[in-house]
Amino acid sequence: MRNAFIDELMALAESNPQVALVVGDLGFSVVEPFAERFPDRFINAGVAEQNMMGLAAGMASEGYHVFAYSIANFPTFRCAEQIRNDVAYHQLPVTVVSVGGGLAYGAMGYSHHAVQDYGLLRLFPNMLIGAPGDPMEVRACLRYLVANPQPSYLRLAKNGEPSFHGTPPELSPGAWLTLRPGLDGAPVLLSTGGTLSQAMAWSLAVPGPTLRVCSLPLWGMACKGRQASQIGSAERLITLEDHLHDGGFGSWMGEALSEHPNLRAGHRAIALSPEVCGMVGGQGTLNQWGGLTLEALERCLPQAKTRLEGT
Amino acid sequence: MYGNGLVTDRDMARTRLMARRVRQLSLEMVARSQASHIGSALSIADILAVLYWKVLNIDPAVPNLPSRDRFILSKGHACTAVYAALAARGFFPETDLLTYGQDGSPLMNHISHKVRGVEFSTGSLGHGLSFGVGKALAAQRRGEGWRTFVLLSDGELDEGSNWEALMFAGHQRLDHLVAIVDYNKLQSLASVESTLGLEPLADKFRAFGWTLREVDGHDHTALAGALASVPWEPARPSLLLCHTTKGRGVAFMENKVEWHYRSPNAGQLAQALAELEQP
């Protein structure tokens, strides 16, 4: 995803002189092409995230669309107040970019795990969250954000993720992208961010009718009203995320469905356990330890109750 | 620049008059709304008068003119002084100040960009300088000549973000960035020295790559002489260290921590305003 990010950002920067990239002394082997091509629009702020975010807001107030890039927690929690006050409250076009969302930096340890970031960023009323599920969605998110500059958060996985779209899809905040249609009325597995590959794999592995698999790469506080109508005839909606349930995507969906008790009753959330990550593990291992498993999905399906009653 | 770059006696007579007006209006606002931070506002009245009536290239009729100088109040709690200066300078009617701190008013008790002429909302300390750095960086990268002025308190220098910004500005040679420090030596609960000592403060700024001047922050001629000629040195940001008195202009408020919080009652307001009227 990070390679798709820099490729697309450079393409957009060619035609938009306002696009600037500020990094917090991270991005080795990723950001160099941008720095070489657009030296006047590339700034390494050093290991100083508060100043990085504040100056990004200052530049944005002068017309730039600033992409403030770092990894995992550093461009979010470390400078949360700058995002809240300087960027979101002033409604400035700064896109906070975090590479290594979820447990992508698994073996690096807890400091490098971004599993509470949705919870923080979705609290800001003017903040649009971009959580692409594959490299094509990364490009689509960037195209949308540059065309619609606003306070935003772009959560990237790391690298090597497969693409499920042939081309960058058209995006609209809050609108689901269907990757696998499933049967009419089939349960919907809705992923945000880097768990899309698990969703695609699991949907073929679970017993029963084929699931409908969707991705939601753009969402936020303003998009809740669009959720209920997209469930259609499905009796079960299962959200999937590599983030803690508290404050995360599943919680957001629960809030979005709060005025629709029947739909809310049919919603299940698969999210990371808060007890994960006390030991070394790669992303896949830690996701499993955290509860992102095929078994968890099976427990969420409607027939699970029937099966259990039959044993 | 308002007027020319020369500092004349006539200019200084005007800025002194306007500083007094800023103090009067600030006292009335704080007393009317029973708000805090009058000591912090009085501390910067002279600095603001010199900025708004002598230094800043601004046009109240076109607040967003691209070529204007930018002014950011990082010590947002002293907002009454800036609201007063903006009103007296013609950005909005002085009668709007009557709504300060009242329900439904945009004149919040920490400075708000919803108010005409205000560039940036602050209140949380340690935000203004980084934001100003971003503005100055934008001007530098585009080759534009306008300047960014950021007014900070001494107490807010406790915030580490300021030192990140100071280091960055020096490194990036942002010579169109001007930081003004209101060094009144008092912070929220006690003196700066007893809370988190800043000395040797001037040496610290110089070590971070800034060119520095120190003035009496209530001496209009000294303030204007320094500020009217920034940038002082190519490739270095400028820092004006202003030695000030918290509560300046009202004897019973000067150098008293309590006036960081207290609001004058009717009698105290009358006493303060009478004192300001004295030559």
Side-chain angles (χ1 to χ4, degrees):
Chain A
M1 281 195 195
R2 60 189 185 190
N3 293 330
F5 165 78
I6 204 69
D7 286 350
E8 189 66 33
L9 191 69
M10 288 187 64
L12 293 164
E14 288 288 354
S15 57
N16 185 333
Q18 310 297 351
V19 170
L21 177 62
V22 180
V23 303
D25 201 34
L26 288 168
F28 177 73
S29 79
V30 177
V31 300
E32 292 87 345
F34 190 101
E36 289 166 13
R37 180 72 185 88
F38 308 107
D40 288 343
R41 288 186 271 156
F42 174 81
I43 295 106
N44 184 350
V47 192
E49 290 81 8
Q50 292 185 79
N51 184 54
M52 175 177 77
M53 204 55 66
L55 78 85
M59 289 181 70
S61 75
E62 296 298 336
Y64 285 102
H65 184 163
V66 183
F67 289 79
Y69 177 103
S70 188
I71 69 171
N73 273 334
F74 310 143
T76 54
F77 278 85
R78 188 62 178 254
C79 48
E81 194 177 70
Q82 279 76 11
I83 298 172
R84 176 185 183 270
N85 294 7
D86 305 353
V87 175
Y89 179 55
H90 287 82
Q91 294 189 265
L92 291 170
V94 173
T95 299
V96 179
V97 184
S98 178
V99 69
L103 297 165
Y105 284 100
M108 296 283 194
Y110 185 79
S111 65
H112 284 56
H113 295 165
V115 295
Q116 295 111 337
D117 51 334
Y118 294 149
L120 175 67
L121 276 300
R122 79 178 184 89
L123 272 175
F124 306 141
N126 299 322
M127 182 69 62
L128 181 62
I129 294 176
D134 79 346
M136 289 298 169
E137 291 186 12
V138 172
R139 293 178 185 274
C141 282
L142 280 170
R143 291 178 191 183
Y144 182 88
L145 293 173
V146 170
N148 301 275
Q150 59 189 294
S152 47
Y153 174 53
L154 185 60
R155 186 207 221 223
L156 304 175
K158 209 161 65 174
N159 58 359
E161 298 83 3
S163 283
F164 299 103
H165 301 271
T167 56
E170 285 292 319
L171 299 185
S172 174
W176 305 356
L177 301 172
T178 298
L179 276 299
R180 185 165 287 146
L183 297 174
D184 189 35
V188 181
L189 181 56
L190 176 65
S191 170
T192 194
T195 46
L196 183 59
S197 57
Q198 275 115 321
M200 293 296 280
W202 292 347
S203 69
L204 297 177
V206 290
T210 305
L211 303 179
R212 176 183 166 201
V213 181
C214 297
S215 176
L216 181 49
L218 285 179
W219 52 283
M221 199 180 282
C223 308
K224 287 180 179 174
R226 298 189 71 178
Q227 300 313 300
S229 63
Q230 296 178 82
I231 296 175
S233 59
E235 62 177 302
R236 179 59 43 93
L237 169 66
I238 304 156
T239 52
L240 175 63
E241 64 193 303
D242 51 354
H243 183 281
L244 304 188
H245 179 63
D246 288 68
F249 180 58
S251 297
W252 174 83
M253 182 60 74
E255 294 163 18
L257 301 179
S258 61
E259 294 180 7
H260 305 272
N262 291 339
L263 296 177
R264 188 164 187 183
H267 172 223
R268 301 288 183 275
I270 303 175
L272 288 169
S273 158
E275 296 177 14
V276 75
C277 299
M279 58 190 82
V280 171
Q283 183 177 17
T285 303
L286 292 179
N287 275 343
Q288 281 208 336
W289 286 346
L292 305 191
T293 62
L294 183 61
E295 292 71 29
L297 174 60
E298 287 179 332
R299 286 194 296 273
C300 291
L301 293 173
Q303 63 266 36
K305 184 168 179 287
T306 309
R307 277 208 307 271
L308 285 171
E309 285 173 350
T311 58
Chain B
M1 187 176 297
Y2 193 70
N4 56 43
L6 300 173
V7 179
T8 65
D9 289 345
R10 190 177 170 189
D11 289 338
M12 296 303 90
R14 180 175 56 203
T15 61
R16 288 189 193 97
L17 192 65
M18 298 321 300
R20 185 168 70 180
R21 185 68 183 139
V22 165
R23 286 191 166 94
Q24 290 168 338
L25 291 169
S26 297
L27 281 160
E28 288 167 356
M29 274 187 273
V30 167
R32 191 182 302 111
S33 63
Q34 289 294 288
S36 298
H37 306 130
I38 186 60
S40 308
L42 296 174
S43 183
I44 61 170
D46 298 297
I47 298 167
L48 292 176
V50 171
L51 282 170
Y52 277 95
W53 280 273
K54 179 60 188 170
V55 175
L56 294 176
N57 176 23
I58 48 174
D59 181 354
V62 193
N64 295 323
L65 197 68
S67 61
R68 74 191 184 283
D69 289 330
R70 276 66 163 167
F71 171 74
I72 294 160
L73 181 71
S74 191
K75 44 174 288 183
H77 54 284
C79 59
T80 52
V82 175
Y83 294 154
L86 288 169
R89 188 70 169 79
F91 281 82
F92 53 85
E94 282 193 8
T95 51
D96 286 2
L97 299 177
L98 296 171
T99 71
Y100 169 74
Q102 307 297 318
D103 290 353
S105 173
L107 297 170
M108 299 177 194
N109 290 15
H110 288 87
I111 197 158
S112 171
H113 70 289
K114 309 288 185 184
V115 175
R116 184 179 165 91
V118 175
E119 300 275 357
F120 183 51
S121 295
T122 58
S124 302
L125 297 171
H127 284 241
L129 189 57
S130 291
F131 192 79
V133 160
K135 283 184 170 290
L137 191 63
Q140 182 199 59
R141 295 290 169 112
R142 290 171 172 160
E144 297 172 359
W146 48 269
R147 302 164 299 178
T148 301
F149 296 80
V150 183
L151 177 52
L152 304 98
S153 72
D154 46 11
E156 81 166 306
L157 293 175
D158 296 352
E159 295 280 5
S161 55
N162 285 317
W163 298 95
E164 294 181 2
L166 286 161
M167 186 158 50
F168 181 89
H171 178 81
Q172 294 285 345
R173 302 167 181 264
L174 298 178
D175 55 12
H176 279 50
L177 176 66
V178 185
I180 304 167
V181 174
D182 172 27
Y183 197 12
N184 61 33
K185 325 296 190 293
L186 280 184
Q187 50 191 96
S188 177
L189 291 180
S191 69
V192 168
E193 185 181 11
S194 65
T195 304
L196 199 53
L198 293 170
E199 291 297 335
L201 187 54
D203 290 342
K204 288 176 180 169
F205 291 133
R206 289 192 187 98
F208 277 64
W210 291 61
T211 182
L212 178 139
R213 295 188 189 180
E214 291 186 70
V215 295
D216 174 344
H218 305 299
D219 180 337
H220 287 228
T221 304
L223 285 165
L227 290 170
S229 60
V230 287
W232 299 322
E233 194 177 330
R236 281 182 187 271
S238 302
L239 194 137
L240 187 63
L241 185 55
C242 295
H243 295 277
T244 55
T245 300
K246 196 160 186 170
R248 171 77 174 203
V250 179
F252 68 85
M253 293 181 176
E254 289 187 356
N255 274 321
K256 299 277 176 47
V257 158
E258 66 203 63
W259 288 103
H260 190 85
Y261 300 101
R262 289 185 62 186
S263 306
N265 58 31
Q268 289 167 326
L269 176 64
Q271 183 183 344
L273 293 176
E275 187 177 334
L276 289 177
E277 287 299 329
Q278 293 170 6

